[in-house]
Amino acid sequence: MINKQLLQPESIVVIGGSNNVHKPGGAVVRNLLSGGYEGTLRVVNPKEDEVQGIKAFHDARELPPTDLAILVVAAKYCPDYVELLAKEKQVRAFIIISAGFSEETHEGALLEQRILDICEQYGCALIGPNCIGLLTRWHHSVFTRPIPNLNPKGVDFISGSGATAVFILESAVSKGLQFNSVWSIGNGKQNGIETVLEYMDEHFDAERDSLVKLLYIENIADPDKLLYHATSLIKKGCRIAAIKAGSSQAGSRAASSHTGAIASSDSAVEALFRKAGIVRCFSREELTTVGCILCLPPLYQREGGLNFAIVTHAGGPGVMLTDALSKGGMNVPPLSGPVAEELKEKLLPGSSVANPIDILATGTAEHLGIAIDYCERMDNIDAIMVIFGTPGLVKIFEVYDVLHKKIQECKKPIFPILPSVSTAGPEVQEFLKRGHVNFSDEVTLATALTQIMKTPAPAEQNVVVNGVDVPRIRRIIDGITENGYIAPDLVHDLLSAAGIPTVPEFVSADKDEIVAFAERVDYPVVAKVVGPVHKSDVGGVALNIRSKEVLGAEFDRMMQIPDATAVMVQKMIRGTELFIGAKYEPRFGHVVLCGLGGIFVEVLKDVSSGLAPLSYEEAYSMIRSLRGYKILKGTRGQKGINERKYAEIIVRLSTLLRFATEIKEMDINPLLADETNVIAVDARILVEK
C-alpha cells in the first residue's frame, strides 16, 4: 500500500541518524535538510544529543507521534522498531534503508516477513528493505547522491536496484533530465514496481502528474498487474520506458522444439512490453536518452516515416547521425530548390544545405539561428537536430543562447546535441539550467529514437474468437489422457478447430493405405516419419515424390528408422517457409513467436514475440518488426506473401492457446505462404495436464 504518510508526511523520524554524513544515517538527515523538508524532522541516536542541528532522542519510546520513520540500523533491530513505532507512535509509513534481509539469508527473510506482518496489521506503507530510499518534491528520504532537479513535469523513476538507480541518476543529471520522483523499492516486500505503477495509475491527474515513467526492473513478480497498469497509464497520455535486467537465461528444461530452442524469459518480457506499449531499453544511457526524448514535444510520424533536418558545424557527426537515423527507418531528406538556395546564400561560402546542413566550423550563432528558421519553414521536415560543440572559434554562450530561444519559439521539436561536455562544460551546464536536455552522442540519440518509434501503442485485450471453434478445442484437449507430444491426427484436429488451414495429409503404418491416399490427392507428395521428434535429423523427410514406386520405397525405409511408428504423406505444395511457435512461460502465459520458417528459424533466430491473446494489430506489428520482413513483402521480382492470412493465423493460434492452457509448447513449421494462401504443413504440440 501507499499512503499520505509516505508521500506527504508532516513529521519524519530517522532511526539511526548521525552527524557522520559519510554513513547512510547521516546522509539521509543531510539530504532531508538540504532538500528543504518543511515538516518536523526528528532523529533517534542513543549516543548523540544533537544531530546536524536537530535535537536527538536517545530512545524511540521518547518520540511523539510521527508519520514516517526511516530506519538506518542493523537488520536485527528493525522488526522491534517497526512494532514499537507502529503500535505506540502511530507511524504509518516506513522506509527501511537497512540491508541484511531476504537478499542475504533465510534468517533475514524471516525478519523481513515479520516487518511485513506488522505493517499489514497496522495499515502501514513499507518501502524496502535494502533500498536507497524515496525522493520526492516533498521530502528527500535518500542517503545517496546525486539529487537531481525536481520538477512536477519531470519523470517518475522506479528502480528495483538502489545502486543501479544511482548510476541511472548520474547518467540522467549529465543530460539535464529532471525528475518528479525517484522510488527505490529494494526487496519490494510490500510495494514492488507493479504496486507503485498501480498507485500512479489509480491516482493519475493529467494536469498535475508526470507524463513520463522510467523503470529499472530486475524481477517481474506480477506480469498481469504490470501489463494492466502500464497499459492504462499509456492510454491516459503517459509514456513508459523500461530496462528489464536478467532476461537472457534460457529455460532450464531442455529444448525439444524450435520454439524451445528460441524462446526464453526474454521473449516473455519482449512480448509483455510490446503488448503494454512500453519502450524497451537495454542500458542506462539508452533509458535516460529515451527519457529525455519523451520529455520533448511529441513527434507525429507521417506516412513513410519521420523526416529530420540536421544542422551541424561538423561534417562527421552529421554523417554518423544520418546513417543511424536511416538504419532506424527514419529519413534525412535532401533539401533542394529555391528555399535551399536562399538559405545557402545567407550562410558562409562553402556551407552545405543538402541535409545535413553544414554551417562550417566558422559558422556563428547568427548562422545557426538562420538555418533553424529555414528548417522550421520547410513542410517536409518534422523535427530538427542541432549538433554544436566548441570549435574554439566562436563564443558558445551566444550559440546556446540562440538555441535556447529557438527551442522556445519553434513549433517543431529541436534535439540539442552538444558534444563538448568537457571543453565547454560551463556553457553546457548553463544551457541545462534553463530546463533543456542534451544528447551528447548523436548515435545514442538515434538508437533511442528508433526504440521509441518502433514501440507499438498498447494492444486491446479482447480475445478474437471469430473462426475459432472453442467447444471443439476443449473436447479435443479434454480427451487427451497422457502428457507429451500428441498424435498427428489430434494436431490436425486442433488446428482445424482453430481455423488454421492445413495441407491434406494421411498417417498410417500400412503401405497400401499410404499409396492409395497419394493417388487420391495426386503426385507429387511429401513423406514424413511419425515418431522421432526431429524428422530431418534422422532422414525422416522425403520431398517431391512423384510415383507410387518411390513412395513405397520411402515408406519401407522410414519404417526402419528407430522409434518410427507410422508414415505421414502430404500433398506437395510450394511457397515461402514461415514459422509460428508458442511456449508457456510461468506467470506470463503463452508467448507466441513468428518468423521465417524451415531450418532457418533456429539458425537465423529472426523471430518476433507477442503475449497471447493477440489482436490483429499486434500480429501485424510482430510480422513487420522481423528483419526479414522485406522478403515477406516481396523482393527482386518475387511476389510477397498474403500478410493478412499470416496475421489471421497468428491471432487464431493465440486464441487456441487462450482456451487450451494445457498446451505448453508448439511449433507450426513450416507454413507455406504465397500471395494467396498460408497453409500449415507440419506442426507439433506438447500437452501437459
Side-chain angles (χ1 to χ4, degrees), residues 25-331:
V28 169
V29 176
R30 175 200 63 200
N31 288 342
L32 282 164
L33 291 171
S34 62
Y37 174 62
E38 296 180 356
T40 302
L41 181 58
R42 303 178 177 120
V43 175
V44 172
N45 186 315
K47 298 179 181 179
E48 300 284 354
D49 295 326
E50 187 177 279
V51 171
Q52 300 183 45
I54 301 170
K55 177 184 177 296
F57 293 85
H58 291 171
D59 192 314
R61 284 184 286 267
E62 301 170 358
L63 286 166
T66 305
D67 284 346
L68 167 66
I70 304 169
L71 273 58
V72 201
V73 294
K76 62 183 179 180
Y77 301 121
C78 287
D80 289 340
Y81 270 119
V82 171
E83 186 167 26
L84 169 68
L85 294 168
K87 182 178 181 181
E88 299 183 15
K89 304 302 176 182
Q90 290 77 54
V91 173
R92 291 297 176 262
F94 292 91
I95 298 173
I96 302 182
I97 305 293
S98 316
F101 292 91
S102 62
E103 80 281 0
E104 290 189 8
T105 64
H106 173 67
E107 291 75 14
L110 295 177
L111 294 175
E112 188 172 292
Q113 185 60 47
R114 185 182 161 205
I115 290 170
L116 177 63
D117 292 341
I118 297 167
C119 288
E120 296 295 322
Q121 179 183 352
Y122 290 97
C124 303
L126 171 64
I127 297 295
N130 184 33
C131 68
I132 65 170
L134 174 62
L135 177 65
T136 71
R137 289 179 289 117
W138 191 276
H139 61 104
H140 296 185
S141 296
V142 294
F143 72 90
T144 55
R145 286 183 171 175
I147 304 293
N149 289 331
L150 296 173
N151 184 311
K153 294 304 179 183
V155 304
D156 289 316
F157 173 41
I158 314 169
S159 177
S161 164
T164 307
V166 173
F167 301 149
I168 289 173
L169 288 174
E170 291 273 8
S171 171
V173 167
S174 68
K175 296 179 177 66
L177 180 61
Q178 299 187 15
F179 289 77
N180 178 55
S181 66
V182 177
W183 299 68
S184 166
I185 63 164
N187 295 352
K189 189 63 177 178
Q190 184 194 72
N191 289 303
I193 287 176
E194 299 94 332
T195 312
V196 178
L197 271 186
E198 178 182 36
Y199 181 87
M200 291 179 175
D201 178 27
E202 293 179 347
H203 296 80
F204 181 71
D205 183 335
E207 297 299 320
R208 183 193 65 200
D209 293 344
S210 167
L211 297 179
V212 180
K213 320 293 181 187
L214 303 183
L215 314 177
Y216 173 79
I217 306 171
E218 291 190 338
N219 176 52
I220 301 178
D222 192 336
D224 285 341
K225 181 181 280 191
L226 178 64
L227 173 63
Y228 179 85
H229 292 292
T231 299
S232 177
L233 280 165
I234 292 170
K235 287 184 175 181
K236 290 173 181 176
C238 291
R239 302 297 301 274
I240 302 177
I243 296 173
K244 171 59 178 78
S247 299
S248 59
Q249 183 178 357
S252 57
R253 182 173 54 80
S256 59
S257 68
H258 298 294
T259 303
I262 296 169
S264 67
S265 57
D266 189 65
S267 303
V269 172
E270 183 73 26
L272 175 64
F273 283 14
R274 177 190 295 275
K275 199 173 194 71
I278 297 172
V279 180
R280 189 172 189 190
C281 302
F282 296 90
S283 71
R284 301 190 306 270
E285 284 297 303
E286 189 174 13
L287 181 68
T288 54
T289 302
V290 167
C292 290
I293 295 170
L294 297 181
C295 288
L296 295 177
L299 290 163
Y300 299 103
Q301 186 162 336
R302 67 175 75 202
E303 187 176 349
L306 285 167
N307 290 344
F308 289 92
I310 300 172
V311 181
T312 179
H313 67 153
V319 173
M320 287 190 287
L321 179 55
T322 301
D323 290 343
L325 290 171
S326 299
K327 184 179 178 182
M330 290 164 281
N331 310 310

Side-chain angles (χ1 to χ4, degrees), residues 407-454:
I407 290 174
Q408 292 182 314
E409 295 170 359
C410 292
K411 294 181 180 179
K412 295 176 181 177
I414 296 177
F415 295 80
I417 303 167
L418 316 179
S420 302
V421 292
S422 176
T423 311
E427 295 94 324
V428 172
Q429 288 304 312
E430 182 65 29
F431 180 77
L432 297 182
K433 286 178 182 177
R434 293 180 166 188
H436 302 300
V437 295
N438 174 32
F439 306 96
S440 59
D441 182 83
E442 60 279 349
V443 175
T444 302
L445 168 59
T447 302
L449 265 172
T450 300
Q451 286 298 100
I452 292 172
M453 300 316 297
K454 78 177 187 180

Side-chain angles (χ1 to χ4, degrees), residues 435-607:
H436 302 300
V437 295
N438 174 32
F439 306 96
S440 59
D441 182 83
E442 60 279 349
V443 175
T444 302
L445 168 59
T447 302
L449 265 172
T450 300
Q451 286 298 100
I452 292 172
M453 300 316 297
K454 78 177 187 180
T455 301
E460 296 299 326
Q461 302 298 316
N462 299 328
V463 180
V464 179
V465 294
N466 291 342
V468 180
D469 190 340
V470 175
R472 183 182 171 198
I473 288 171
R474 285 311 315 167
R475 286 196 300 271
I476 297 168
I477 291 293
D478 291 340
I480 297 172
T481 58
E482 295 183 0
N483 291 342
Y485 282 99
I486 62 176
D489 60 325
L490 292 175
V491 173
H492 184 274
D493 289 347
L494 278 174
L495 295 182
S496 174
I500 298 173
T502 57
V503 65
E505 66 181 33
F506 181 72
V507 178
S508 179
D510 185 298
K511 184 195 300 187
D512 292 338
E513 291 180 347
I514 289 290
V515 171
F517 175 82
E519 293 188 339
R520 280 200 306 275
V521 299
D522 201 8
Y523 294 98
V525 295
V526 178
K528 301 176 183 179
V529 68
V530 176
V533 174
H534 293 291
K535 302 175 180 64
S536 299
D537 294 349
V538 294
V541 179
L543 305 175
N544 203 28
I545 298 172
R546 294 182 173 275
S547 69
K548 66 178 182 179
E549 291 78 16
V550 175
L551 178 58
E554 288 293 347
F555 177 90
D556 293 337
R557 181 183 67 80
M558 289 183 185
M559 290 300 292
Q560 300 302 312
I561 294 174
D563 300 323
T565 59
V567 171
M568 173 193 293
V569 63
Q570 296 174 318
K571 175 67 178 175
M572 178 85 175
I573 60 175
R574 299 186 182 278
T576 300
E577 292 190 340
L578 306 176
F579 160 80
I580 302 177
K583 183 180 179 182
Y584 183 83
E585 282 286 338
R587 302 198 313 273
F588 287 84
H590 283 100
V591 179
V592 179
L593 306 175
C594 74
L596 294 173
I599 63 171
F600 300 107
V601 64
E602 287 184 14
V603 176
L604 299 178
K605 292 183 173 62
D606 179 19
V607 296

